[in-house]
Amino acid sequence: MAPPNGSDRFRRPRAVRSGGASALAGRSAVASGLAARPEHVAAALRRRPVLPPYWRDLTVPVPPAQNAALPAPLPQLPPCVMHCLPRWRLVLEARNIPFMAVRRGDRQHLFVPALYERLARQELLAAEGEDAAARARPPAPPPAPLRANAHLTLLGLLLLALWHGVRMGWWWDMNLPLPDLDPDAWRDAGAMDVYYTVARGQWYRVVTALTLHADSPHLFGNILFGSFFLIPLCRRVGSGPGWLLTILAGAGGNVLNALARPASHVSLGFSTALFGAVGVLSGLLAVEGGWSGWRRMVVPLAAGLAILGMLGSEGERTDLGAHLFGLVAGIVVGMAAQGLRERFGAPPRWLEWLAGAACAALLGGSWMLALR
């Protein structure tokens, strides 16, 4: 009887552990037993399939004489050990390359057709190079532990509400040593008026405008919105650095907004800084562990843009440009902060307190310039 491959010249039968030939042999045995007696069908199913001729072994080096006879030498694969065989089989299956895994004694071998040998070796060599590069890459540093400082963040938002009371005159009847100014006077002195900011050079307005609000609903909406993003940011980097990065991102967003808007435009509110906090978080997550690929960077940035679309583009008096520029400035600030953090490590506790003091000095100094 001729063998299943149609040739009367074949190698010594070998046991096939897995691969396409096993299923082919089983189907041939069942098909041949449809018109045969049951004992013949059982014998056919027990028959060990054979290795087709002219299949090449990938687990042994290519003989030098064979490589010299070829127009282009076949790539040599690294020595194959038992733990690499499953990975090689996955690579061949992913590339739709037919193969058979054959056990010879205590070793397993991978055979592929001769026409697929070069492609199989190239794919396996590329996979081994990727694995070696991944093993050589230093592991990403573990993320810093989150800090239990939500109360300090909420205290900062409370101070923002108290400052709004100073501007609106809530505490005048308490005989406190506070400036007795009309609310419109506070607005004229600190709002981000493009004409005064750019033409008159009053750039302190990009900071003072962050502490002004049109009315109480505007203030409490920003406090409610800000708690969802300032608390995670401050828990990640510390209260002092978190507030300083937020104010810097908000001031940077106001600078970009002032340069892009006409001279008659006026803007105020803490929401620019809050979207700056969203951008800072996105920038921190984008480059955490190094520049490890566009997918890792795009996902948090896309999340920041989605938040801008959901929460920062509604309302008649919403300054969409300020929100967008605050988000962009926050992304830049966050990436820069994460780069410094990964280069020099997490800041010590005294530096966090110094960052908080610098944030307070920036706000206080800007208002001193506004009220002089």
Side-chain angles (χ1 to χ4, degrees), residues 60-263:
V60 298
V62 182
Q66 178 183 345
N67 247 348
L70 295 174
L74 293 172
Q76 294 284 5
L77 294 174
C80 180
V81 291
M82 290 298 296
H83 66 82
C84 75
L85 277 175
R87 185 171 67 252
W88 284 17
R89 291 170 60 178
L90 288 176
V91 173
L92 296 177
E93 288 178 358
R95 301 299 188 270
N96 293 324
I97 299 175
F99 71 95
M100 288 191 300
V102 179
R103 179 177 293 276
R104 290 180 174 176
D106 59 346
R107 290 194 58 191
Q108 280 194 347
H109 300 257
L110 281 178
F111 288 87
V112 296
L115 294 177
Y116 287 90
E117 182 181 14
R118 183 179 298 276
L119 176 61
R121 289 181 175 274
Q122 290 174 349
E123 295 291 345
L124 292 178
L125 195 62
E128 288 294 326
E130 293 176 0
D131 292 341
R135 290 191 296 268
R137 187 181 303 119
L146 298 180
R147 296 163 173 80
N149 55 8
H151 58 289
L152 295 177
T153 306
L154 295 177
L155 177 61
L157 293 174
L158 177 61
L159 292 177
L160 183 65
L162 296 178
W163 174 256
H164 179 73
V166 171
R167 179 214 167 188
M168 302 302 294
W170 293 353
W171 323 118
W172 289 352
D173 296 335
M174 300 176 65
N175 297 321
L176 296 178
L178 299 174
D180 188 3
L181 296 178
D182 187 79
D184 291 336
W186 285 101
R187 180 182 181 276
D188 295 339
M192 202 283 293
D193 189 311
V194 174
Y195 170 74
Y196 287 101
T197 302
V198 179
R200 295 291 187 88
Q202 298 177 2
W203 290 102
Y204 55 83
R205 291 177 177 268
V206 300
V207 177
T208 56
L210 300 176
T211 63
L212 298 176
H213 293 85
D215 46 33
S216 297
H218 184 203
L219 167 72
F220 294 123
N222 282 339
I223 291 177
L224 179 62
F225 171 65
S227 62
F228 287 101
F229 299 100
L230 280 174
I231 290 177
L233 175 60
C234 292
R235 291 193 66 191
R236 190 178 188 87
V237 301
S239 295
W243 276 100
L244 180 61
L245 294 176
T246 299
I247 296 300
L248 290 178
N254 278 338
V255 169
L256 297 176
N257 197 29
L259 296 176
R261 292 305 186 100

Side-chain angles (χ1 to χ4, degrees), residues 21-31 45:
S22 299
L24 179 60
R27 289 195 300 268
S28 301
V30 174
L45 289 176

